[in-house]
Amino acid sequence: MKNLEIAAIFGDMSDLLEIQGANPFRVRAYRNARSSLESMTDTVEEIAKRGKLEDIQGIGKDLAGKIVEYIESGKIQAFEDLKKELPVGLVEILGIPTVGPRTARLIFDHFGVGSIADLEKLAKGGKLLTLQGIKEKTVQNILRGIEICKRRDGTFLLGRALPIAGEVIAALAEVAGQIACAGSLRRMKETVHDVDILVASGNADQVMKAFRDSPLAGRVLVSGPTKTSLLVTDGLQVDLRVVEPDSWGAALMYFTGSKEHNIRLRERAIRRGLKLNEYGLFDEAGKVLASKTEEDIYAALELEWIPPTLREDRGEVGASARSGGLPDLVEVGDIRGDLHMHTTWSDGALSTADMIEAARARGYQYIAITDHSKSLGVAGGLSDEDVLEHIDEIRKLDKKQKGIRVLAGTEVDIRKDGTLDYADEILGRLDFVVASVHSNLRQDRKTMTGRVIRAMQNPHVRVIGHPTGRLLGDRDSYDLDFDAVMAEAARTRTCLEVNAHYYRLDINDVLCRKAREAGVKVIVSTDAHNADDLRNLEYGVATAQRGWLEKEHVLNTRPVGEMLAYKAS
DNA sequence: GCCGTTTTCGGCCCGACTGTTTTCAGTCG
């Protein structure tokens, strides 16, 4: 995807320009452009063809020219020139916590260092101490930063970090007045760098002490009167901030971000002659106009309250200024059925009966049992005979249920040529068919796209499971032309899954929004292999929210009859 | 380098914490 390639180049350019000491606003322009390109749903190639690149937020004449240059020649000369002056390895050095552009530049100018490994040797050899302004403490911080870089590899999965945040909140509940999770975790980003916890209390010292003394706490990184950062399990960094109860709303907004969303709000405040910071919204005389709740502050800026999952500066501020402009987001409680789960018939941990019971306990009106198909040997895929036998079992169990409908389903493999792993005769006997790619993952774009499209053309296939196949931090997406996939999904009334497992979250937020725009419905399912996995639904719903999806865009918010009628097979 | 409810030039978000400093620069979020 050229969007992401160009975004990465703009990101590297912004870092190198910053190290070079360029105009900070120019640096920011490149960063803004990167962020725009990363969250776009259309490809730059198409937009360029239409001559509309300058319509993209943060792209002006100059950057539009650079995008065209990259599309046509595969490189950007300005970036090549920059790399001649500064090694691109400085970008990774800038990624070390505590090392900013000035330090990176200082070190490079004296030692010509161009990688983290080289920097680590210098630091350990005591060479950095010869530099003006660097003493032992700074060296130790750089080395610690390098360690953090190596260990955390930058990110933690949402589904790992959120439970830890819950434990911290529970541990501090007694000493905290109000307490909440903020930051990217509150926005439910798929991966987070750290956990932000916000507390309102008139006695900050007591809260900070309780935090430092809690059994979860590992090494303390910084600790002042309003902020303490420390490391917990697995090197996850938790930042705790304490604010006065009167500025709770302003602080919660500020620390929830995103940074870009906050900047948008501050600009709006400035245009009104106001100032917004973490303490409140102030007029020119310094008088507080709003601070206690987020709703108050948004209202004082003539905005509707914006749900945290939308706060990414993807048009939400503008939408919130118009009455009814914000989406009425789908919620966990709207989901009536989970349509992707496994049992001991293939690679699940529970029997069919136990899985049904676990799902019923969550209050669903319907579920689909969808074990793997025959060619997925590693996951115990069911033979033709087995799947027929399993259908019988599910039908018998369904008859015994009250209040929950159990659909006989399958997660059928999409074979490498786009045909399915069961004959239509078998698929026709099932109530619900999920079709997924599990093999030959490295096909080229055209082949893979054709393969998925062919599967969608089968009238029995209601949804494509984990459509991109990515595994967060471990495996990239298949190479798919999503414009073509979405168009065919809309035409055939085939849904795309939002696989809710926090290791997948597939499709992601950006593709959810694209699906909405393309008129494609999604189905949020857990792909549960045990009872605990069923709880992952909240991550999938949050991803749908981040993609601006409303109840009507999510098929499994509908009653079972209506859901099944959507693609009549 | 972008962008327009003050606009096509002159702005561009704001404060806390740390370390190396005697009043502030750098980094971070």
Side-chain angles (χ1 to χ4, degrees):
Chain A
M1 179 108 161
K2 288 222 165 57
N3 292 26
L4 297 181
E5 291 165 22
I6 298 170
I9 291 176
F10 285 170
D12 286 352
M13 288 182 78
S14 73
D15 283 351
L16 293 178
L17 285 166
E18 190 173 32
I19 292 168
Q20 218 177 37
N23 175 350
F25 300 106
R26 190 172 163 221
V27 172
R28 204 171 95 186
Y30 277 90
R31 295 222 164 108
N32 288 340
R34 171 184 63 184
S35 139
S36 269
L37 290 175
E38 281 173 349
S39 63
M40 263 170 42
T41 57
D42 294 322
T43 64
V44 287
E45 291 98 316
E46 280 166 10
I47 300 172
K49 230 179 271 172
R50 297 201 304 269
K52 297 282 187 191
L53 284 172
E54 288 182 51
D55 286 358
I56 301 169
Q57 178 74 241
I59 304 291
K61 197 172 171 196
D62 183 274
L63 293 182
K66 289 189 167 69
I67 292 172
V68 171
E69 183 187 352
Y70 186 81
I71 292 171
E72 288 174 354
S73 71
K75 61 178 190 173
I76 293 173
Q77 194 54 45
F79 182 44
E80 303 302 316
D81 293 345
L82 214 44
K83 284 194 288 190
K84 276 178 205 149
E85 291 175 43
L86 294 170
V88 76
L90 280 175
V91 170
E92 73 170 13
I93 287 178
L94 204 55
I96 302 170
T98 73
V99 177
R102 305 305 293 260
T103 310
R105 180 74 208 227
L106 183 69
I107 293 168
F108 173 70
D109 280 350
H110 283 78
F111 302 109
V113 165
S115 75
I116 288 185
D118 288 349
L119 177 58
E120 187 174 12
K121 271 185 223 151
L122 275 179
K124 285 187 171 157
K127 292 274 204 291
L128 294 182
L129 292 171
T130 59
L131 297 179
Q132 172 78 27
I134 292 188
K135 296 259 182 298
E136 189 52 37
K137 201 110 186 190
T138 303
V139 175
Q140 288 313 314
N141 283 338
I142 290 173
L143 284 171
R144 273 207 311 227
I146 291 174
E147 283 311 306
I148 288 172
C149 250
K150 284 188 193 165
R151 186 178 46 241
R152 76 180 181 192
D153 192 24
T155 57
F156 286 81
L157 299 182
L158 172 65
R160 298 270 184 223
L162 202 61
I164 292 174
E167 286 181 46
V168 173
I169 287 174
L172 296 177
E174 268 186 29
V175 291
Q178 279 171 291
I179 183 162
C181 178
S184 48
L185 205 55
R186 184 166 179 238
R187 303 198 312 277
M188 299 291 272
K189 264 189 84 173
E190 60 197 29
T191 57
V192 302
H193 288 276
D194 56 23
V195 169
D196 292 295
I197 306 284
L198 187 69
V199 166
S201 166
N203 189 347
D205 286 349
Q206 184 194 19
V207 178
M208 291 305 184
K209 185 170 185 317
F211 184 44
R212 289 192 303 263
D213 293 348
S214 77
L216 289 157
R219 196 177 56 210
V220 176
L221 301 174
V222 302
S223 190
T226 67
K227 171 181 169 176
T228 292
S229 296
L230 51 74
L231 298 179
V232 297
T233 335
D234 303 332
L236 178 61
Q237 181 176 331
V238 180
D239 296 344
L240 177 76
R241 329 227 175 201
V242 181
V243 299
E244 291 294 328
D246 273 351
S247 54
W248 171 255
L252 188 57
M253 248 169 90
Y254 175 80
F255 290 117
T256 297
S258 67
K259 189 175 168 184
E260 293 74 20
H261 176 84
N262 287 347
I263 288 174
R264 199 61 71 192
L265 293 180
R266 291 227 182 88
E267 286 169 354
R268 191 176 174 88
I270 289 168
R271 280 203 302 276
R272 286 166 167 68
L274 309 174
K275 185 173 80 162
L276 178 64
N277 59 27
E278 60 261 58
Y279 302 107
L281 180 67
F282 301 88
D283 66 13
E284 277 170 346
K287 180 169 154 264
V288 180
L289 301 180
S291 67
K292 290 199 174 80
T293 71
E294 288 190 336
E295 286 83 351
D296 290 348
I297 295 165
Y298 280 108
L301 291 169
E302 294 173 81
L303 294 171
E304 267 185 72
W305 178 80
I306 300 176
T309 45
L310 293 184
R311 299 183 195 173
E312 297 291 346
D313 191 26
R314 294 177 185 166
E316 72 279 4
V317 176
S320 134
R322 302 187 297 274
S323 173
L326 285 174
D328 184 11
L329 297 177
V330 61
E331 290 175 20
V332 168
D334 294 329
I335 303 293
R336 296 189 196 225
D338 191 336
L339 293 168
H340 186 167
M341 65 186 72
H342 299 270
T343 71
T344 48
W345 280 75
S346 61
D347 59 350
L350 297 182
S351 68
T352 312
D354 289 345
M355 204 64 195
I356 293 170
E357 196 43 48
R360 177 227 287 289
R362 293 187 50 90
Y364 289 130
Q365 295 176 10
Y366 54 88
I367 58 169
I369 303 289
T370 55
D371 278 301
H372 290 290
S373 63
K374 57 189 174 189
S375 63
L376 202 62
V378 288
L382 277 64
S383 67
D384 289 357
E385 296 73 35
D386 285 346
V387 72
L388 294 175
E389 201 179 316
H390 195 199
I391 292 174
D392 281 342
E393 188 205 25
I394 294 169
R395 299 251 186 268
K396 280 180 193 146
L397 288 166
D398 180 41
K399 283 210 180 94
K400 289 193 210 160
Q401 308 297 323
K402 287 204 180 91
I404 184 168
R405 169 89 188 275
V406 183
L407 303 172
T410 181
E411 180 182 13
V412 66
D413 254 52
I414 302 173
R415 295 191 291 216
K416 66 178 178 185
D417 61 355
T419 59
L420 300 175
D421 203 20
Y422 291 132
D424 280 353
E425 194 273 323
I426 289 180
L427 296 176
R429 294 199 198 190
L430 291 155
D431 305 313
F432 195 84
V433 176
V434 181
S436 307
V437 168
H438 289 111
S439 57
N440 297 88
L441 310 180
R442 290 171 174 271
Q443 289 177 325
D444 64 53
R445 189 182 186 85
K446 195 172 164 209
T447 310
M448 186 61 93
T449 303
R451 177 181 178 186
V452 171
I453 283 177
R454 186 165 178 195
M456 291 194 292
Q457 287 167 346
N458 183 303
H460 302 296
V461 172
R462 295 175 183 277
V463 58
I464 300 297
H466 44 72
T468 78
R470 67 142 177 203
L471 297 174
L472 281 162
D474 282 338
R475 189 170 80 202
D476 286 338
S477 305
Y478 320 135
D479 197 1
L480 271 175
D481 173 356
F482 260 95
D483 288 322
V485 169
M486 295 272 183
E488 192 63 8
R491 193 186 71 79
T492 59
R493 297 168 76 82
T494 308
C495 297
L496 296 182
E497 181 176 77
V498 178
N499 190 297
H501 198 287
Y502 55 79
Y503 189 34
R504 292 187 179 272
L505 294 175
D506 182 8
I507 52 176
N508 68 9
D509 52 356
V510 171
L511 285 172
C512 279
R513 190 147 177 196
K514 190 179 180 78
R516 177 184 168 148
E517 286 161 6
V520 173
K521 305 292 182 215
V522 308
I523 289 178
V524 183
S525 288
T526 62
D527 195 358
H529 285 69
N530 56 56
D532 278 351
D533 283 353
L534 293 169
R535 292 196 300 225
N536 290 330
L537 189 78
E538 68 167 313
Y539 306 124
V541 171
T543 299
Q545 291 183 343
R546 290 174 55 82
W548 291 51
L549 298 193
E550 308 185 26
K551 196 173 163 181
E552 65 165 298
H553 303 117
V554 181
L555 197 67
N556 53 331
T557 60
R558 303 185 186 181
V560 64
E562 207 180 307
M563 184 277 291
L564 288 173
Y566 182 69
K567 179 171 181 176
S569 60

